[in-house]
Amino acid sequence: EDQVTQSPEALRLQEGESSSLNCSYTVSGLRGLFWYRQDPGKGPEFLFTLYSAGEEKEKERLKATLTKKESFLHITAPKPEDSATYLCAVTETSGSRLTFGEGTQLTVNP
Amino acid sequence: DADVTQTPRNRITKTGKRIMLECSQTKGHDRMYWYRQDPGLGLQLIYYSFDVKDINKGEISDGYSVSRQAQAKFSLSLESAIPNQTALYFCATSDGLVDEQFFGPGTRLTVL
């Protein structure tokens, strides 16, 4: 059974204080790892897909990386508008169903 | 207009009532999904459909049913609502060629 564990559950940063969120996963064969951002009361918004170990993708202040066991979402010099819950999900080679982690709630204080 | 729409956005109902949540999409995607989100539990898959004639159960299908009326429409029903079905419900779509799923704005359901 696919498993996705995200840490920490919650993270508070000061504006400009860089940090990383972790997503550890267990799948029989990884087809893709996904990062989503979710604002309160809204649907998840797609950020990145990573397919193979060593792959990296960037978008503004966010950079996602992937190893064979985990993914990191690095946030460089965050701003208050980066406050949200960040969700990680995986899909295995045999299907297209996403298995989600429980998310990391990020708060960036001005 | 939003690519994935859900109606209603909020619903309060009583135990034992039948409820239908509707999802429509204009993205032209074949695949549609229904998820439930509870605080601290992440997103759990209820049902998914790869085309109009293909319906599959997800992790937590008990107490729910679905109908795929057309490529663009996928409805979720609670035949007899119970309080522990109080949650946020999301519809999502994907085109099958890539795996990213695109989510609707959600329906907040409260069962009293």
Side-chain angles (χ1 to χ4, degrees):
Chain A
E1 183 178 325
D2 298 348
Q3 288 190 325
V4 180
T5 303
Q6 292 187 244
S7 61
E9 291 184 10
L11 180 63
R12 286 185 174 274
L13 301 174
Q14 289 299 122
E15 185 171 2
E17 180 186 1
S18 301
S19 189
S20 297
L21 312 182
N22 178 262
C23 172
S24 297
Y25 64 90
T26 303
V27 294
S28 55
L30 181 70
R31 174 167 164 157
L33 184 140
F34 305 82
W35 283 98
Y36 285 84
R37 169 190 171 129
Q38 186 176 22
D39 293 300
K42 295 188 176 181
E45 177 186 344
F46 171 74
L47 293 173
F48 304 109
T49 308
L50 301 168
Y51 290 104
S52 58
E55 189 175 1
E56 299 182 353
K57 289 192 176 174
E58 290 189 63
K59 180 180 181 180
E60 297 182 354
R61 294 176 292 281
L62 300 177
K63 183 169 82 172
T65 62
L66 181 65
T67 73
K68 290 185 177 180
K69 293 183 178 180
E70 59 191 349
S71 177
F72 292 94
L73 185 64
H74 306 277
I75 303 176
T76 302
K79 298 182 178 181
E81 54 261 44
D82 294 322
S83 297
T85 295
Y86 291 86
L87 299 170
C88 172
V90 299
T91 186
E92 62 178 33
T93 51
S94 62
S96 64
R97 293 170 52 171
L98 290 178
T99 299
F100 281 86
E102 295 176 5
T104 293
Q105 185 175 358
L106 174 66
T107 303
V108 182
N109 296 314
Chain B
D1 288 341
D3 294 324
V4 184
T5 58
Q6 292 184 235
T7 56
R9 294 294 316 279
N10 289 283
R11 182 71 184 268
I12 299 174
T13 190
K14 295 182 178 180
T15 297
K17 294 291 187 181
R18 184 179 188 275
I19 298 297
M20 179 180 285
L21 309 182
E22 298 185 336
C23 176
S24 295
Q25 53 112 346
T26 59
K27 297 186 75 68
H29 290 169
D30 288 325
R31 302 182 177 195
M32 299 187 74
Y33 308 80
W34 275 105
Y35 289 91
R36 167 179 171 156
Q37 188 174 40
D38 296 277
L41 291 181
L43 284 155
Q44 296 174 281
L45 183 63
I46 307 173
Y47 271 95
Y48 61 104
S49 170
F50 285 173
D51 65 39
V52 175
K53 297 180 181 179
D54 180 53
I55 304 287
N56 303 280
K57 292 183 178 180
E59 307 164 67
I60 55 163
S61 59
D62 288 348
Y64 302 95
S65 63
V66 291
S67 174
R68 184 82 184 267
Q69 301 94 327
Q71 185 207 35
K73 296 185 183 294
F74 193 33
S75 300
L76 176 71
S77 293
L78 288 68
E79 297 301 324
S80 179
I82 57 177
N84 75 1
Q85 290 178 314
T86 293
L88 198 52
Y89 290 85
F90 289 104
C91 174
T93 75
S94 67
D95 73 2
L97 295 178
V98 294
D99 294 321
E100 296 95 286
Q101 293 183 16
F102 299 88
F103 286 79
T107 294
R108 185 172 297 280
L109 176 66
T110 302
V111 182
L112 301 177

